[in-house]
Amino acid sequence: MFRTALRNVLAHKARLLMTVLAVMLGVAFVSGTLVFADTLSNAFRNQSAKSYDNVAVSITSYANPDDAKEEPGLSRKTLDKIAAVDGVDAAYGRVEGFAGVADPDGKLIGVGWSNKGSNFAPGKDGKNPAYTFTDGSGPVKDDQIALDNESATKGEYQVGDRVRVATNGPVKEYTLSGVFTTEDGAVNAGGSLVLFDTAVAQKQYLKPGYFESVTVTAAAGADDRKILDAVKPLLPDSAEAQTGKALADEQAEQIEQGLGSLKQVLLGFAGIALFVGIFLISNTFTMLVAQRTKEIALMRAVGASRKQITRSVLAEAAVVGLVASVIGFVLGIGLAVGLRSGMAAFEMKIPDGPLILSATPVIAAISVGVLITMFAAWLPGRRAAKIPPVAAMNSVHAAATTKSLVLRNSIGTAITGLGAAGIVLGASTGGDDGRMYIGAGAFFALIGVIILIPLLSRPVIALVRPLLVGPFGVAGKLAGQNAVRNPRRTGATASALAIGLTLVTGLSVLGITVGTAIDKMTTDNIKADYMVSMANGGDLDQSALTALEKAKGVSAVSPQQSVYFQAGDEDYVSASAVTPGDIEQVLNVDVVSGNIDSLAAGQIAVAEKTAKSKGWKPGDSVPVTFNDEKKGTLKVGAVFKDSEFLSPVLVDTKVVNPHEVQPYIQQIFVKVDGGQSAANEKALINALGDNPAIKVMDQQDIRNEFGGVINTLLNIMYGLLAMALIIAVLGVVNTLAMSVFERQQEIGMLRAIGLDRRRVKRMVRLEAVVISVFGAVVGIGLGSFLGWAIGETFADQIPGYALVLPWDRIGIFLVLAGLVGVLAALWPARNAARLNMLNAIKAE
């Protein structure tokens, strides 16, 4: 039987090619993901280990710099004590924070969130082992800096050049003293690293004489554990010490966890691709079994048992799956290399390292490919084995019995109803629990629809038949009849497209709805022309607010300064310090009671929900404890409607700033005379000192800032689902090829009575379009339902949330589905048109 299976594989190479492609693509995704994750994990682990090669002990301070009762970090005195410990070669103190470097055009080099500044801490030999200088040396003067090699290259800077560097304060110019290479994570993440003289960095990021962390190197032959035990008693309670090896292992574990999430997402999409591939594989083997009906009957007649027939089909599937898996694994290696290179497009630098080919991806690829193929081929094999020899010899294919169709439709209806109930229950429940119900319901609903889709094909396709007959005549009428001739096969093909478009449509409905709500929330609440913020998402310096207040043409400016104070004996209350009189010009403050002008008199405005929960109303006095633990009383002057852009409490900056060590300004909203214009934007940039680390965003930029991430995620999801849709297209090709094979006599007769080749091609193409659009309609309907349900689970968390059906995208999906049908029909239509009519009439 194995020899028979192998012969059959070789005899139907063209038919099996599409199955090989389907399995190959899915396996490539699985193996590529595993190889990619292993390679990245190994590279980051090696980098982490390398960065701690010379580290005996690493010490980190968790002290609060704003707490006057304790030291803000590790003092120079503590550093000297650590350096004097037996076995310690040197102790290097470190402070760090944000620092952005401008390129020659004034633009920020690197991504804002990973741009760092730190101090150059030379040892006795004048070197710091964390940095290898390729040119020049470390900074030793107040006006000197050193740059990592990649940032210096991007900025075209050489030693001796003047470099503009921005922190959260005004831009300053420094002389470049040296260029270095490093294993620092910020640089490897695509950012930049600026080294300052230690005194400059301490003043800038912490306090003079203090460090955030200390790196200890050991003398030759010293034991890291003994050094750790000796160092611990010298540290304040707010500091923690670890050996370099322990810290490297901890970081390696964190890397594994971070990459684990990415791996799960990619494997999830690989699973979808393989699931869609099951329909194509099943169709392929159904077609192959139909072609060999008499052969199977003869084998049964000469003594082959049902089990042997089934095993023959499964052996054939195993051979196909094995070949596809091997090819898919090789492609997966290429995919892993491509993914690694592609990350550079997102300005993420991956550490150098070899491609890791472990046993896991190999075993997973082959196991998944072979098992999926055999699983998909099992049902066609079982059906072939159940056909009686006499019936098989006299019939090319046996029709499904009425009993089997009734049973199938009954089971499908029950499962679909169960899934729909779960989805509706989840939508009404909301929250994480609701999403769990929806996930389970979606699974059952999808399975139920797949079972029911042959039943749905007849009435749905019947609706479009009149549209085919009018414009396309006989070819259109025949195409409509052919599309429903074999509902099982049509349903299996449409199911592949339906699954892909269910996911695509669900994501689109959810993404567009959330994006529209966020966009509306932004436009409804922000009246300012511009929003100013730091590129790294950090806090702005007070000098930025002062500069904007003095800028020419500015009519209103207010910060969003984050502050906290304790109300009575209760928990801390989150508040925003703003500029009275200007805040209502730049943000929409919808007052419910009281007067917002009371902010100028030192009173507070409270959000409606907060006021209700605490029982506050205008005129009430609230005892408060400020950040510096000084007490006071604030009077409630107004109550306003809750807003995503306003904290629960608004207060004048003049009230809280005397109690803040350093004001934490997240954004500054600006309104200018004449509204938005290139000249006004340039004026604001100039007022801020042309600081590359500060973003000046107009209203469209603000909308993109809050809603643009959703579109980016949608595009990524579309890209990942593309593989499943490609497999679905192969399924349409397969179905049409099967249909043409089964209708050779009919096509020959049609040709004999006058249907020319052009109309034969049109008939096959229209059939493909009908099946594709049918699958798209089912997928779009189910996807829209799922998008609505998931959205309902967090609708109360997004003000103004309302379901939005993206009709433009739905129209594009339908057009693309029709185009898929046309493209998929090219080869089958050509074959049908080229059939010799006499040979076709004689075909069995």
Side-chain angles (χ1 to χ4, degrees), residues 131-145:
Y131 315 108
T132 301
F133 280 84
T134 57
D135 192 15
S137 59
V140 293
K141 296 181 181 179
D142 290 357
D143 68 338
Q144 290 182 335
I145 61 161

Side-chain angles (χ1 to χ4, degrees), residues 259-414:
L259 292 175
S261 301
L262 174 63
K263 186 194 294 186
Q264 289 173 5
V265 170
L266 292 176
L267 287 176
F269 283 97
I272 293 169
L274 288 168
F275 184 59
V276 172
I278 287 174
F279 297 96
L280 189 155
I281 299 165
S282 181
N283 261 0
T284 299
F285 279 92
T286 299
M287 176 171 63
L288 295 176
V289 167
Q291 287 178 315
R292 303 203 307 269
T293 303
K294 285 193 173 182
E295 177 187 323
I296 293 171
L298 183 60
M299 292 171 65
R300 290 293 312 281
V302 297
S305 67
R306 288 185 176 184
K307 288 184 178 180
Q308 285 179 310
I309 296 297
T310 303
R311 283 200 296 266
S312 173
V313 175
L314 291 179
E316 188 176 338
V319 172
V320 173
L322 183 61
V323 172
S325 298
V326 172
I327 299 172
F329 177 73
V330 175
L331 284 179
I333 295 174
L335 179 63
V337 174
L339 283 171
R340 182 171 175 174
S341 302
M343 290 185 75
F346 295 93
E347 297 187 351
M348 291 186 67
K349 179 186 173 186
I350 306 303
D352 293 331
L355 194 70
I356 302 301
L357 298 177
S358 63
T360 302
V362 178
I363 295 171
I366 294 176
S367 300
V368 166
V370 172
L371 291 176
I372 286 291
T373 310
M374 291 180 69
F375 172 77
W378 174 76
L379 191 58
R382 184 170 172 269
R383 284 177 184 163
K386 290 174 69 175
I387 299 174
V390 175
M393 288 181 182
N394 290 279
S395 176
V396 174
H397 50 81
T401 64
T402 304
K403 179 180 177 182
S404 68
L405 291 175
V406 171
L407 180 62
R408 174 182 180 136
N409 295 336
S410 300
I411 294 173
T413 301

Side-chain angles (χ1 to χ4, degrees), residues 20-87:
V20 170
L21 286 173
V23 178
M24 180 185 71
L25 291 174
V27 168
F29 215 147
V30 171
S31 58
T33 297
L34 294 174
V35 171
F36 176 66
D38 288 346
T39 300
L40 252 63
S41 178
N42 180 72
F44 280 117
R45 276 200 310 270
N46 289 343
Q47 180 200 57
S48 177
K50 187 177 178 181
S51 64
Y52 290 103
D53 270 350
N54 299 317
V55 178
V57 174
S58 178
I59 305 162
T60 304
S61 171
Y62 297 101
N64 181 5
D66 298 330
D67 191 342
K69 292 183 178 180
E70 64 177 3
E71 290 187 308
L74 299 162
S75 66
R76 168 61 67 177
K77 184 178 179 181
T78 302
L79 185 67
D80 292 339
K81 288 181 180 179
I82 294 170
V85 168
D86 187 36

